[in-house]
Amino acid sequence: MYWESLPGWFWAIYYLFFLITAGTAAFCLVRKKNRRMYVAALLLALLLPVVSLWKSIARAEGMDEFEHFVMELLQGSLWAVFVLAGYVFLFAWWGMFLKKKAFGGQG
């Protein structure tokens, strides 16, 4: 059997994103009063890669993880919608976090 996979550099960036997000959220969680967003970011940074990996194990032969994700998303699979919503949340969280830091607000 042969399964396609995305290149190694992609996986390095992908997991580094989640590692940095989890570390930043944990650090901010300890120091800040507004904890809901930090808890959500930390939980998603830990949960999304696990769900994605778990669900991509059963993909069809010759299909990489991204193709499988898009196919499942187009079929309305609950896990794919959850993962997409999680990605959107984390990118929005980073945008708000960096915007607050850039303008000197509490972040």
Side-chain angles (χ1 to χ4, degrees), residues 5-85:
S5 186
L6 296 167
W9 62 265
F10 173 83
W11 293 116
I13 293 169
Y14 180 78
Y15 288 113
L16 189 62
F17 169 75
F18 288 112
L19 231 144
I20 292 170
T21 301
T24 303
F27 179 76
C28 290
L29 186 60
V30 172
R31 300 189 64 211
K32 305 296 178 188
K33 294 179 182 174
N34 183 7
R35 296 180 177 213
R36 287 184 203 175
M37 294 291 278
Y38 300 121
V39 169
L42 179 60
L43 289 176
L44 284 173
L46 298 174
L47 195 59
L48 290 178
V50 174
V51 171
S52 296
L53 176 66
W54 176 48
K55 289 299 190 174
S56 70
I57 290 173
R59 68 185 186 273
E61 189 173 336
M63 182 180 289
D64 69 30
E65 296 86 355
F66 182 73
E67 292 169 334
H68 177 68
F69 172 72
V70 170
M71 184 187 73
E72 290 288 315
L73 192 59
L74 292 174
Q75 292 177 358
S77 179
L78 187 58
W79 76 267
V81 172
F82 168 73
V83 168
L84 179 64

Side-chain angles (χ1 to χ4, degrees), residues 75-97:
Q75 292 177 358
S77 179
L78 187 58
W79 76 267
V81 172
F82 168 73
V83 168
L84 179 64
Y87 291 154
V88 169
F89 175 85
L90 288 181
F91 281 112
W93 181 81
W94 269 110
M96 291 185 308
F97 178 78

